[in-house]
Structures are given as C-alpha cells and as structure tokens.
Amino acid sequence: MDLSAFQWQLDRPIRMKTAEFQKEDRLTHCIFAAQLTRPLLDKLCFIAEMIRVLSRTKEGSNKLRELLSHKRAMLYFTQPSTRTFLSFMAACQILGITCNDVRDPSVSSEVKKESPMDSIRMFSSYFDLIIMRSNVSKFAECCAYQMNDLAQNSMRSVPIINGGAGSDEHPTQALLDMYTIERTFQFDHKENSPRSRYMEMRRKYSDLTLGPDNKTYAFCGDLGRGRTVRSLATVLGQYKNVTMCFIAPEDETLQLDPDLRDNLIGKGVNVYELDSLDATVNGKPVLEEADCLYMTRIQKEHDTPELAARYQQLDLSHYKLTLDRVSHMKDYAPILHPFPRDSEEAEIPTDIDNDPRAMYFRQARNGMWARAALLLHIADAVDHLNVLYKEFYGVSAEESLQ
Ligand code: NCD
C-alpha cells in the first residue's frame, strides 16, 4: 500500500499528531494508545459504567438505543478479528448505531484496483464513522489525516477508529484492558470484588492500594510482535509508581521493543526484562510480586520459515501458565489475555479458567462497554447519556456510582 503522500505527517513526533486528532479534550479520531490520557481514561471508564448499568433493564437498553440511532458505522476489517469486530458491532447495537461491514477486500472494488484510500473516502460518504483493522501499520493513521484534510477543505469527514494496526497499535484493546484493571483494583463492584474484599486483602497484603497506581504489572509471551502489550504498556506508563516485568523468550524478535523500553524508563517506570515465569525480581519470584499478569500468545502468523526454525529451539514451557504457577500469585491478581489464546500451545490451559483470578472472559465482555463509551464520546453525545441516566434513576451517575 502506498502511503508516501502522508510521509511528512507520519514522520512527526507523536505530540503533534495527537493534537490533530482531538477537539479540546474530545477525541475526533482514535488512532494511538498515547491519546488515552489518564483523565480521558477515567472519563471513559465512568461512561462505560453508566452504559453497563443502564443496559441491565429492558427500558434502559431501549433508551440507550435512542442515543445514536441516527448514525451509521462501517466496520472495515481486512485482517482477521473476532472480539474486536463483534464487540464493536455489539457496542454500536447498544447505542442504536446501524452497522455494515467489509471484511474481505476481494468482494469490494479493490479487485478493480480501487485504492484503499478511495475505499475509505467512499465509506465516509455513506457512513458517519469508520472502525477499521488492517495489517498495514500506519493505514488507520493515514486515513485520519485524509479525513482531516477533507474537513479543512470543508468536505465531508468522519471519525476513524483504529481497531488494530499491523504489529503497531491497538488503542481500543488498551482501553478495555484499563477498564478491566480499573474495575479490578477499585474492588467495589458487586459481581466482581466488593469493597470488603479490599479490606480483607489489605490484611494479607499491607501495601495494597486502590486503583492502577503502585502496582507491578507482568507481561508474558510474544512481546515483540504483539500490539496489545505495546499499547497497554504505553497507557500504564502514565500511572504512579508502576513496575513492569516483561517475560519473553530469548529471541530479540519476541522481546520488548527497545524504543518502548526507553520510553517507559523515561516516564519513571521500573522495567525488568525476564526470561521465564519462574524468574525472580529483587530476589522474589515474579509471579508472587505481580499485581496483574497479562499473558499473550506467540504471534505465529508473522513467522518467516527462518524465524519458525529459530523458534523451534526455544523452550516455550517457561511462558505458559500452570495451576502450580497460578497458585503462587496474589489472591487478587487478575490474569488477563487479549485473546485469542493458542489452543495448541496453551499459554493459558483451560483448567485455569475456573480460578477466580482468571479475568480474560470478563475482560473480553468489558470490551463491549468500553467501546460503546468511546463511540459515545467521539460522537459528542455523553451529555445525552448523563440526562438519560438522571431521568432513569432520579439521581446523577456521579451521585449513584461513585
Ligand atoms: C489481539 C490482536 O488482534 O492484536 N486480539 C484482539 O484484538 N483481542 C491479540 C492477538 O491477536 O493475539
């Protein structure tokens, strides 16, 4: 794909780019994890919570569907996806947005040599929002520049949401991961972990605090090629007193990207790079130290024959969970995974699914609420949700949820 027309825009520092993708403090496109600042995350998590609560009743769900029933979305997913595609579709349905999708460019005019950039502009003629996933890293970013250029020329322009760009970025996965982490460490959700549980945990782990600050996050698996770890680590790097342990096989293609490492260290994160789930940090086993464990699969679809042959020599058992390994973890420490897990490699065997720390299915469901929150924010309709909530419950969400 030829993106050279956008090269000068692509080459700029991230600060300049993110400034172009927002209007005051509202995102106009969601392309990078770096756009998910802490105040915005707090806001989006709160909106997600309101949507989740309202969805519990038929009346609430019907009202939510009125919020964006005048909007249409295009889901343009030319790279395989199950959760991101379906949870965005479900999020659209929650808010009443009508969806259409193109998942296979061979059934679109791209077979007649239409450029992907033209396809995007066509979608923007018919839809009010484009949610996209591509195996080309910078494609979504360039689409957002194209939309901004159109807007500058007073032409029709719609928001672009990046649902996964090559091995580069997956900002909305970082959003749902943060929503899950936030909920877990607030210990205040009935179906999750009530506040009394926090007091109980404090008796056992005296330095435990509420919220994502002051925590040790362990990431395990293919950290070099997985975009979810890159996006989540970038976002977590904003929190206070954070330690990150990156556990990856000894092959530089699978290990933490040096640029990301330097970036995290520059933000004051304590970074450790380890070669096994049984390794130690500061003399203590990493699994006993971790407040949260983020597992990932080896991304074999990126293998070349040479890489596949090299990886044959690696002992991947060091990067797989077992019941015994889980038994060393803190009682409250969530086990997360962006999914899909690899059913053959079994980095998380199914016998762990019933452990109360196994949060990955809940995490996937959280994607629906978090993505609905993002859609409402981008559509500038959060005020309508506030009004709806108050009408429905007689009190504002601030009073009833916090
Ligand atoms: C991830 C992705 O596509 O990057 N999946 C997802 O969106 N939940 C992770 C993966 O494919 O390993």
Side-chain angles (χ1 to χ4, degrees), residues 77 79-85 133 163-167 169-170 172-173 176-177 225-229 294-299 301-302 337-341 347 363-364 371:
F77 275 57
Q79 196 190 24
S81 173
T82 305
R83 271 145 295 272
T84 307
F85 178 83
R133 167 175 284 197
S167 57
E169 284 267 2
H170 198 346
T172 65
Q173 179 72 39
L176 76 95
D177 293 341
R225 304 181 297 178
R227 53 195 172 195
T228 60
V229 169
Y294 196 93
M295 296 294 296
T296 64
R297 70 186 172 92
I298 305 291
Q299 309 247 324
E301 67 273 31
H302 302 296
H337 191 308
F339 265 43
R341 62 179 156 185
E347 66 276 8
Q363 176 191 4
R371 288 178 167 127

mmCIF file of all heavy atoms in Angstrom, residues 77 79-85 133 163-167 169-170 172-173 176-177 225-229 294-299 301-302 337-341 347 363-364 371, ligand 1:
data_model
loop_
_atom_site.group_PDB
_atom_site.id
_atom_site.type_symbol
_atom_site.label_atom_id
_atom_site.label_comp_id
_atom_site.label_asym_id
_atom_site.label_seq_id
_atom_site.Cartn_x
_atom_site.Cartn_y
_atom_site.Cartn_z
ATOM 1 N N PHE A 77 -12.765 -4.345 8.305
ATOM 2 C CA PHE A 77 -11.809 -5.230 8.999
ATOM 3 C C PHE A 77 -11.193 -6.192 7.983
ATOM 4 O O PHE A 77 -11.733 -7.258 7.732
ATOM 5 C CB PHE A 77 -12.522 -6.026 10.103
ATOM 6 C CG PHE A 77 -12.625 -5.287 11.411
ATOM 7 C CD1 PHE A 77 -13.242 -4.053 11.485
ATOM 8 C CD2 PHE A 77 -12.114 -5.837 12.581
ATOM 9 C CE1 PHE A 77 -13.336 -3.363 12.683
ATOM 10 C CE2 PHE A 77 -12.200 -5.152 13.788
ATOM 11 C CZ PHE A 77 -12.816 -3.917 13.835
ATOM 12 N N GLN A 79 -8.278 -7.628 8.318
ATOM 13 C CA GLN A 79 -7.399 -8.581 8.992
ATOM 14 C C GLN A 79 -8.295 -9.366 9.951
ATOM 15 O O GLN A 79 -9.233 -8.784 10.501
ATOM 16 C CB GLN A 79 -6.326 -7.800 9.772
ATOM 17 C CG GLN A 79 -5.139 -8.612 10.193
ATOM 18 C CD GLN A 79 -4.245 -7.850 11.171
ATOM 19 O OE1 GLN A 79 -4.686 -6.948 11.866
ATOM 20 N NE2 GLN A 79 -2.993 -8.237 11.234
ATOM 21 N N PRO A 80 -8.003 -10.676 10.162
ATOM 22 C CA PRO A 80 -8.909 -11.477 10.984
ATOM 23 C C PRO A 80 -9.193 -10.859 12.346
ATOM 24 O O PRO A 80 -8.303 -10.254 12.950
ATOM 25 C CB PRO A 80 -8.159 -12.808 11.161
ATOM 26 C CG PRO A 80 -7.206 -12.868 10.030
ATOM 27 C CD PRO A 80 -6.856 -11.455 9.678
ATOM 28 N N SER A 81 -10.423 -10.983 12.797
ATOM 29 C CA SER A 81 -10.802 -10.455 14.100
ATOM 30 C C SER A 81 -12.085 -11.135 14.544
ATOM 31 O O SER A 81 -12.980 -11.350 13.729
ATOM 32 C CB SER A 81 -11.051 -8.944 13.994
ATOM 33 O OG SER A 81 -11.583 -8.462 15.211
ATOM 34 N N THR A 82 -12.158 -11.489 15.800
ATOM 35 C CA THR A 82 -13.410 -11.989 16.356
ATOM 36 C C THR A 82 -13.916 -10.995 17.385
ATOM 37 O O THR A 82 -14.944 -10.340 17.214
ATOM 38 C CB THR A 82 -13.206 -13.373 17.016
ATOM 39 O OG1 THR A 82 -12.621 -14.232 16.058
ATOM 40 C CG2 THR A 82 -14.521 -13.949 17.491
ATOM 41 N N ARG A 83 -13.142 -10.833 18.469
ATOM 42 C CA ARG A 83 -13.591 -9.998 19.589
ATOM 43 C C ARG A 83 -13.716 -8.524 19.229
ATOM 44 O O ARG A 83 -14.703 -7.874 19.562
ATOM 45 C CB ARG A 83 -12.611 -10.102 20.774
ATOM 46 C CG ARG A 83 -12.920 -11.203 21.721
ATOM 47 C CD ARG A 83 -11.646 -11.777 22.255
ATOM 48 N NE ARG A 83 -10.917 -12.395 21.160
ATOM 49 C CZ ARG A 83 -11.086 -13.658 20.787
ATOM 50 N NH1 ARG A 83 -11.890 -14.421 21.447
ATOM 51 N NH2 ARG A 83 -10.444 -14.158 19.758
ATOM 52 N N THR A 84 -12.701 -7.970 18.575
ATOM 53 C CA THR A 84 -12.738 -6.528 18.314
ATOM 54 C C THR A 84 -13.912 -6.220 17.380
ATOM 55 O O THR A 84 -14.690 -5.295 17.617
ATOM 56 C CB THR A 84 -11.404 -6.051 17.707
ATOM 57 O OG1 THR A 84 -10.353 -6.497 18.563
ATOM 58 C CG2 THR A 84 -11.349 -4.546 17.596
ATOM 59 N N PHE A 85 -14.054 -7.043 16.346
ATOM 60 C CA PHE A 85 -15.149 -6.832 15.392
ATOM 61 C C PHE A 85 -16.510 -6.969 16.092
ATOM 62 O O PHE A 85 -17.355 -6.075 16.022
ATOM 63 C CB PHE A 85 -15.016 -7.851 14.249
ATOM 64 C CG PHE A 85 -16.116 -7.747 13.242
ATOM 65 C CD1 PHE A 85 -16.057 -6.807 12.218
ATOM 66 C CD2 PHE A 85 -17.232 -8.572 13.311
ATOM 67 C CE1 PHE A 85 -17.079 -6.697 11.290
ATOM 68 C CE2 PHE A 85 -18.256 -8.464 12.390
ATOM 69 C CZ PHE A 85 -18.180 -7.523 11.377
ATOM 70 N N ARG A 133 -9.591 -2.263 10.899
ATOM 71 C CA ARG A 133 -8.419 -3.062 11.276
ATOM 72 C C ARG A 133 -7.701 -3.441 9.997
ATOM 73 O O ARG A 133 -8.321 -3.841 9.017
ATOM 74 C CB ARG A 133 -8.839 -4.316 12.022
ATOM 75 C CG ARG A 133 -7.726 -5.315 12.148
ATOM 76 C CD ARG A 133 -8.090 -6.499 12.985
ATOM 77 N NE ARG A 133 -8.084 -6.159 14.394
ATOM 78 C CZ ARG A 133 -8.042 -7.071 15.365
ATOM 79 N NH1 ARG A 133 -7.997 -8.348 15.080
ATOM 80 N NH2 ARG A 133 -8.047 -6.709 16.622
ATOM 81 N N GLY A 163 -8.947 -0.233 15.028
ATOM 82 C CA GLY A 163 -9.246 -1.491 15.739
ATOM 83 C C GLY A 163 -8.088 -2.478 15.636
ATOM 84 O O GLY A 163 -8.294 -3.687 15.729
ATOM 85 N N GLY A 164 -6.870 -1.969 15.468
ATOM 86 C CA GLY A 164 -5.687 -2.829 15.354
ATOM 87 C C GLY A 164 -4.955 -2.518 14.066
ATOM 88 O O GLY A 164 -5.504 -2.678 12.987
ATOM 89 N N ALA A 165 -3.708 -2.021 14.218
ATOM 90 C CA ALA A 165 -2.946 -1.621 13.035
ATOM 91 C C ALA A 165 -1.630 -2.391 13.004
ATOM 92 O O ALA A 165 -0.732 -2.137 13.798
ATOM 93 C CB ALA A 165 -2.666 -0.117 13.064
ATOM 94 N N GLY A 166 -1.529 -3.356 12.084
ATOM 95 C CA GLY A 166 -0.304 -4.150 11.950
ATOM 96 C C GLY A 166 0.175 -4.635 13.305
ATOM 97 O O GLY A 166 -0.618 -5.009 14.167
ATOM 98 N N SER A 167 1.505 -4.622 13.499
ATOM 99 C CA SER A 167 2.013 -5.064 14.805
ATOM 100 C C SER A 167 2.264 -3.841 15.685
ATOM 101 O O SER A 167 2.996 -3.898 16.664
ATOM 102 C CB SER A 167 3.290 -5.887 14.624
ATOM 103 O OG SER A 167 4.232 -5.126 13.934
ATOM 104 N N GLU A 169 -0.155 -0.860 16.880
ATOM 105 C CA GLU A 169 -1.019 -0.204 17.873
ATOM 106 C C GLU A 169 -2.366 -0.908 17.963
ATOM 107 O O GLU A 169 -2.895 -1.380 16.945
ATOM 108 C CB GLU A 169 -1.304 1.245 17.438
ATOM 109 C CG GLU A 169 -0.164 2.213 17.660
ATOM 110 C CD GLU A 169 -0.253 2.936 19.010
ATOM 111 O OE1 GLU A 169 -1.185 2.663 19.799
ATOM 112 O OE2 GLU A 169 0.633 3.761 19.253
ATOM 113 N N HIS A 170 -2.926 -0.924 19.145
ATOM 114 C CA HIS A 170 -4.289 -1.455 19.329
ATOM 115 C C HIS A 170 -4.913 -0.667 20.489
ATOM 116 O O HIS A 170 -5.132 -1.186 21.578
ATOM 117 C CB HIS A 170 -4.215 -2.944 19.634
ATOM 118 C CG HIS A 170 -5.503 -3.682 19.435
ATOM 119 N ND1 HIS A 170 -6.722 -3.041 19.282
ATOM 120 C CD2 HIS A 170 -5.771 -5.009 19.370
ATOM 121 C CE1 HIS A 170 -7.659 -3.967 19.136
ATOM 122 N NE2 HIS A 170 -7.121 -5.159 19.182
ATOM 123 N N THR A 172 -7.855 0.547 21.295
ATOM 124 C CA THR A 172 -9.125 0.236 21.975
ATOM 125 C C THR A 172 -8.993 -1.030 22.829
ATOM 126 O O THR A 172 -9.752 -1.221 23.771
ATOM 127 C CB THR A 172 -10.314 0.128 21.000
ATOM 128 O OG1 THR A 172 -10.123 -0.976 20.124
ATOM 129 C CG2 THR A 172 -10.487 1.407 20.194
ATOM 130 N N GLN A 173 -8.002 -1.885 22.515
ATOM 131 C CA GLN A 173 -7.728 -3.015 23.411
ATOM 132 C C GLN A 173 -7.132 -2.472 24.718
ATOM 133 O O GLN A 173 -7.493 -2.906 25.812
ATOM 134 C CB GLN A 173 -6.757 -4.000 22.740
ATOM 135 C CG GLN A 173 -6.391 -5.201 23.608
ATOM 136 C CD GLN A 173 -7.525 -6.204 23.786
ATOM 137 O OE1 GLN A 173 -8.259 -6.472 22.842
ATOM 138 N NE2 GLN A 173 -7.691 -6.751 24.983
ATOM 139 N N LEU A 176 -9.987 -1.209 26.871
ATOM 140 C CA LEU A 176 -10.763 -2.210 27.613
ATOM 141 C C LEU A 176 -9.907 -2.902 28.666
ATOM 142 O O LEU A 176 -10.403 -3.281 29.730
ATOM 143 C CB LEU A 176 -11.425 -3.209 26.663
ATOM 144 C CG LEU A 176 -10.583 -4.297 26.018
ATOM 145 C CD1 LEU A 176 -10.659 -5.588 26.819
ATOM 146 C CD2 LEU A 176 -11.114 -4.564 24.616
ATOM 147 N N ASP A 177 -8.602 -3.037 28.395
ATOM 148 C CA ASP A 177 -7.705 -3.606 29.414
ATOM 149 C C ASP A 177 -7.680 -2.688 30.634
ATOM 150 O O ASP A 177 -7.751 -3.146 31.780
ATOM 151 C CB ASP A 177 -6.290 -3.768 28.855
ATOM 152 C CG ASP A 177 -6.213 -4.832 27.755
ATOM 153 O OD1 ASP A 177 -7.124 -5.669 27.677
ATOM 154 O OD2 ASP A 177 -5.233 -4.811 26.985
ATOM 155 N N ARG A 225 6.067 -8.750 18.927
ATOM 156 C CA ARG A 225 5.182 -8.612 17.768
ATOM 157 C C ARG A 225 3.732 -8.367 18.146
ATOM 158 O O ARG A 225 2.912 -8.060 17.281
ATOM 159 C CB ARG A 225 5.309 -9.869 16.893
ATOM 160 C CG ARG A 225 6.763 -10.113 16.484
ATOM 161 C CD ARG A 225 6.904 -11.323 15.603
ATOM 162 N NE ARG A 225 6.517 -12.564 16.263
ATOM 163 C CZ ARG A 225 6.522 -13.755 15.682
ATOM 164 N NH1 ARG A 225 6.897 -13.857 14.422
ATOM 165 N NH2 ARG A 225 6.168 -14.837 16.344
ATOM 166 N N GLY A 226 3.423 -8.508 19.428
ATOM 167 C CA GLY A 226 2.035 -8.294 19.856
ATOM 168 C C GLY A 226 1.770 -6.802 20.049
ATOM 169 O O GLY A 226 2.495 -6.121 20.763
ATOM 170 N N ARG A 227 0.732 -6.295 19.408
ATOM 171 C CA ARG A 227 0.449 -4.855 19.506
ATOM 172 C C ARG A 227 -0.278 -4.505 20.802
ATOM 173 O O ARG A 227 -0.269 -3.355 21.230
ATOM 174 C CB ARG A 227 -0.374 -4.407 18.300
ATOM 175 C CG ARG A 227 -1.641 -5.241 18.088
ATOM 176 C CD ARG A 227 -2.220 -5.020 16.704
ATOM 177 N NE ARG A 227 -3.306 -5.962 16.441
ATOM 178 C CZ ARG A 227 -3.809 -6.195 15.248
ATOM 179 N NH1 ARG A 227 -3.326 -5.555 14.201
ATOM 180 N NH2 ARG A 227 -4.787 -7.046 15.079
ATOM 181 N N THR A 228 -0.930 -5.507 21.428
ATOM 182 C CA THR A 228 -1.723 -5.178 22.624
ATOM 183 C C THR A 228 -0.819 -4.781 23.788
ATOM 184 O O THR A 228 -1.132 -3.861 24.529
ATOM 185 C CB THR A 228 -2.604 -6.366 23.047
ATOM 186 O OG1 THR A 228 -1.764 -7.468 23.343
ATOM 187 C CG2 THR A 228 -3.572 -6.758 21.963
ATOM 188 N N VAL A 229 0.314 -5.485 23.924
ATOM 189 C CA VAL A 229 1.227 -5.176 25.035
ATOM 190 C C VAL A 229 1.807 -3.776 24.851
ATOM 191 O O VAL A 229 1.905 -2.993 25.794
ATOM 192 C CB VAL A 229 2.350 -6.234 25.128
ATOM 193 C CG1 VAL A 229 3.446 -5.790 26.078
ATOM 194 C CG2 VAL A 229 1.771 -7.567 25.570
ATOM 195 N N TYR A 294 -0.428 -10.253 32.486
ATOM 196 C CA TYR A 294 -1.007 -10.118 31.145
ATOM 197 C C TYR A 294 -0.322 -11.136 30.234
ATOM 198 O O TYR A 294 0.852 -10.980 29.889
ATOM 199 C CB TYR A 294 -0.770 -8.687 30.646
ATOM 200 C CG TYR A 294 -1.623 -8.266 29.465
ATOM 201 C CD1 TYR A 294 -2.834 -7.608 29.664
ATOM 202 C CD2 TYR A 294 -1.216 -8.498 28.158
ATOM 203 C CE1 TYR A 294 -3.625 -7.198 28.595
ATOM 204 C CE2 TYR A 294 -1.992 -8.094 27.078
ATOM 205 C CZ TYR A 294 -3.201 -7.444 27.304
ATOM 206 O OH TYR A 294 -3.977 -7.036 26.238
ATOM 207 N N MET A 295 -1.044 -12.190 29.888
ATOM 208 C CA MET A 295 -0.490 -13.255 29.039
ATOM 209 C C MET A 295 -0.777 -12.945 27.567
ATOM 210 O O MET A 295 -1.803 -12.334 27.251
ATOM 211 C CB MET A 295 -1.142 -14.603 29.398
ATOM 212 C CG MET A 295 -0.864 -15.093 30.800
ATOM 213 S SD MET A 295 0.871 -15.501 31.074
ATOM 214 C CE MET A 295 1.106 -16.886 29.938
ATOM 215 N N THR A 296 0.107 -13.406 26.688
ATOM 216 C CA THR A 296 -0.166 -13.270 25.250
ATOM 217 C C THR A 296 0.276 -14.551 24.539
ATOM 218 O O THR A 296 1.079 -15.312 25.070
ATOM 219 C CB THR A 296 0.591 -12.094 24.608
ATOM 220 O OG1 THR A 296 2.002 -12.344 24.699
ATOM 221 C CG2 THR A 296 0.278 -10.768 25.289
ATOM 222 N N ARG A 297 -0.233 -14.728 23.330
ATOM 223 C CA ARG A 297 0.167 -15.891 22.543
ATOM 224 C C ARG A 297 1.369 -15.532 21.673
ATOM 225 O O ARG A 297 1.636 -14.345 21.428
ATOM 226 C CB ARG A 297 -1.009 -16.353 21.662
ATOM 227 C CG ARG A 297 -1.306 -15.402 20.556
ATOM 228 C CD ARG A 297 -2.533 -15.747 19.748
ATOM 229 N NE ARG A 297 -2.795 -14.626 18.853
ATOM 230 C CZ ARG A 297 -2.321 -14.524 17.620
ATOM 231 N NH1 ARG A 297 -1.595 -15.491 17.105
ATOM 232 N NH2 ARG A 297 -2.576 -13.449 16.893
ATOM 233 N N ILE A 298 2.080 -16.553 21.179
ATOM 234 C CA ILE A 298 3.141 -16.317 20.189
ATOM 235 C C ILE A 298 2.430 -16.066 18.851
ATOM 236 O O ILE A 298 1.622 -16.882 18.410
ATOM 237 C CB ILE A 298 4.092 -17.541 20.082
ATOM 238 C CG1 ILE A 298 4.674 -17.912 21.460
ATOM 239 C CG2 ILE A 298 5.182 -17.290 19.044
ATOM 240 C CD1 ILE A 298 5.646 -16.937 22.062
ATOM 241 N N GLN A 299 2.734 -14.928 18.225
ATOM 242 C CA GLN A 299 2.009 -14.496 17.014
ATOM 243 C C GLN A 299 2.595 -15.180 15.771
ATOM 244 O O GLN A 299 3.303 -14.549 14.971
ATOM 245 C CB GLN A 299 2.115 -12.976 16.881
ATOM 246 C CG GLN A 299 1.736 -12.228 18.141
ATOM 247 C CD GLN A 299 0.474 -11.434 17.972
ATOM 248 O OE1 GLN A 299 0.212 -10.885 16.915
ATOM 249 N NE2 GLN A 299 -0.330 -11.368 19.012
ATOM 250 N N GLU A 301 1.513 -16.028 12.993
ATOM 251 C CA GLU A 301 1.179 -15.568 11.635
ATOM 252 C C GLU A 301 2.254 -14.640 11.066
ATOM 253 O O GLU A 301 2.316 -14.406 9.866
ATOM 254 C CB GLU A 301 -0.210 -14.902 11.604
ATOM 255 C CG GLU A 301 -0.361 -13.594 12.359
ATOM 256 C CD GLU A 301 -0.719 -13.777 13.842
ATOM 257 O OE1 GLU A 301 -0.308 -14.778 14.437
ATOM 258 O OE2 GLU A 301 -1.396 -12.883 14.388
ATOM 259 N N HIS A 302 3.125 -14.102 11.941
ATOM 260 C CA HIS A 302 4.200 -13.225 11.458
ATOM 261 C C HIS A 302 5.495 -14.005 11.183
ATOM 262 O O HIS A 302 6.499 -13.414 10.790
ATOM 263 C CB HIS A 302 4.515 -12.132 12.492
ATOM 264 C CG HIS A 302 3.337 -11.274 12.851
ATOM 265 N ND1 HIS A 302 2.708 -10.461 11.929
ATOM 266 C CD2 HIS A 302 2.667 -11.089 14.007
ATOM 267 C CE1 HIS A 302 1.695 -9.821 12.527
ATOM 268 N NE2 HIS A 302 1.658 -10.200 13.785
ATOM 269 N N HIS A 337 -5.671 -11.638 29.284
ATOM 270 C CA HIS A 337 -5.157 -12.111 27.982
ATOM 271 C C HIS A 337 -6.041 -11.420 26.938
ATOM 272 O O HIS A 337 -7.262 -11.438 27.070
ATOM 273 C CB HIS A 337 -5.290 -13.637 27.896
ATOM 274 C CG HIS A 337 -4.573 -14.268 26.729
ATOM 275 N ND1 HIS A 337 -4.738 -13.841 25.422
ATOM 276 C CD2 HIS A 337 -3.683 -15.294 26.667
ATOM 277 C CE1 HIS A 337 -3.974 -14.577 24.622
ATOM 278 N NE2 HIS A 337 -3.323 -15.470 25.345
ATOM 279 N N PRO A 338 -5.446 -10.816 25.907
ATOM 280 C CA PRO A 338 -6.309 -10.132 24.923
ATOM 281 C C PRO A 338 -7.131 -11.129 24.103
ATOM 282 O O PRO A 338 -8.128 -10.738 23.495
ATOM 283 C CB PRO A 338 -5.317 -9.385 24.028
ATOM 284 C CG PRO A 338 -4.033 -10.138 24.163
ATOM 285 C CD PRO A 338 -4.023 -10.695 25.564
ATOM 286 N N PHE A 339 -6.691 -12.393 24.093
ATOM 287 C CA PHE A 339 -7.327 -13.441 23.290
ATOM 288 C C PHE A 339 -7.201 -13.123 21.805
ATOM 289 O O PHE A 339 -7.090 -11.961 21.446
ATOM 290 C CB PHE A 339 -8.790 -13.630 23.710
ATOM 291 C CG PHE A 339 -8.963 -14.742 24.727
ATOM 292 C CD1 PHE A 339 -8.086 -14.869 25.796
ATOM 293 C CD2 PHE A 339 -9.995 -15.659 24.603
ATOM 294 C CE1 PHE A 339 -8.241 -15.890 26.723
ATOM 295 C CE2 PHE A 339 -10.154 -16.679 25.529
ATOM 296 C CZ PHE A 339 -9.281 -16.805 26.586
ATOM 297 N N PRO A 340 -7.185 -14.033 20.903
ATOM 298 C CA PRO A 340 -7.374 -15.458 21.142
ATOM 299 C C PRO A 340 -6.165 -16.088 21.845
ATOM 300 O O PRO A 340 -5.031 -15.652 21.626
ATOM 301 C CB PRO A 340 -7.501 -16.021 19.720
ATOM 302 C CG PRO A 340 -6.713 -15.083 18.861
ATOM 303 C CD PRO A 340 -6.906 -13.730 19.475
ATOM 304 N N ARG A 341 -6.440 -17.112 22.679
ATOM 305 C CA ARG A 341 -5.312 -17.907 23.181
ATOM 306 C C ARG A 341 -5.076 -19.020 22.177
ATOM 307 O O ARG A 341 -5.989 -19.398 21.436
ATOM 308 C CB ARG A 341 -5.585 -18.431 24.584
ATOM 309 C CG ARG A 341 -6.766 -19.359 24.716
ATOM 310 C CD ARG A 341 -6.936 -19.839 26.145
ATOM 311 N NE ARG A 341 -8.317 -20.235 26.390
ATOM 312 C CZ ARG A 341 -8.787 -20.601 27.573
ATOM 313 N NH1 ARG A 341 -7.994 -20.610 28.624
ATOM 314 N NH2 ARG A 341 -10.050 -20.954 27.732
ATOM 315 N N GLU A 347 -0.914 -21.353 26.183
ATOM 316 C CA GLU A 347 -0.217 -20.467 27.139
ATOM 317 C C GLU A 347 -1.067 -20.260 28.395
ATOM 318 O O GLU A 347 -0.522 -20.007 29.471
ATOM 319 C CB GLU A 347 0.189 -19.132 26.489
ATOM 320 C CG GLU A 347 -0.943 -18.201 26.046
ATOM 321 C CD GLU A 347 -1.479 -18.543 24.666
ATOM 322 O OE1 GLU A 347 -1.088 -19.584 24.121
ATOM 323 O OE2 GLU A 347 -2.303 -17.764 24.136
ATOM 324 N N GLN A 363 -12.869 -9.670 30.782
ATOM 325 C CA GLN A 363 -12.115 -8.630 30.062
ATOM 326 C C GLN A 363 -12.683 -8.461 28.641
ATOM 327 O O GLN A 363 -12.908 -7.335 28.186
ATOM 328 C CB GLN A 363 -10.649 -9.084 30.026
ATOM 329 C CG GLN A 363 -9.674 -8.234 29.256
ATOM 330 C CD GLN A 363 -8.327 -8.972 29.109
ATOM 331 O OE1 GLN A 363 -8.182 -10.127 29.521
ATOM 332 N NE2 GLN A 363 -7.360 -8.302 28.537
ATOM 333 N N ALA A 364 -12.932 -9.582 27.966
ATOM 334 C CA ALA A 364 -13.463 -9.511 26.597
ATOM 335 C C ALA A 364 -14.852 -8.857 26.604
ATOM 336 O O ALA A 364 -15.162 -8.010 25.766
ATOM 337 C CB ALA A 364 -13.536 -10.902 25.984
ATOM 338 N N ARG A 371 -15.934 0.071 24.505
ATOM 339 C CA ARG A 371 -16.007 0.571 23.124
ATOM 340 C C ARG A 371 -17.276 1.399 22.917
ATOM 341 O O ARG A 371 -17.254 2.398 22.193
ATOM 342 C CB ARG A 371 -15.898 -0.592 22.140
ATOM 343 C CG ARG A 371 -14.475 -1.126 22.122
ATOM 344 C CD ARG A 371 -14.267 -2.310 21.233
ATOM 345 N NE ARG A 371 -12.839 -2.532 21.060
ATOM 346 C CZ ARG A 371 -12.218 -3.701 21.292
ATOM 347 N NH1 ARG A 371 -12.902 -4.755 21.680
ATOM 348 N NH2 ARG A 371 -10.909 -3.802 21.115
HETATM 349 C C1 NCD B 1 -5.287 -9.214 19.606
HETATM 350 C C2 NCD B 1 -4.923 -8.533 18.305
HETATM 351 O O1 NCD B 1 -5.603 -8.703 17.301
HETATM 352 O O2 NCD B 1 -3.946 -7.814 18.336
HETATM 353 N N1 NCD B 1 -6.584 -9.706 19.624
HETATM 354 C C3 NCD B 1 -7.581 -8.842 19.991
HETATM 355 O O3 NCD B 1 -7.846 -7.832 19.371
HETATM 356 N N2 NCD B 1 -8.234 -9.145 21.119
HETATM 357 C C4 NCD B 1 -4.294 -10.175 20.096
HETATM 358 C C5 NCD B 1 -3.848 -11.298 19.221
HETATM 359 O O4 NCD B 1 -4.276 -11.476 18.089
HETATM 360 O O5 NCD B 1 -3.007 -12.053 19.712
#
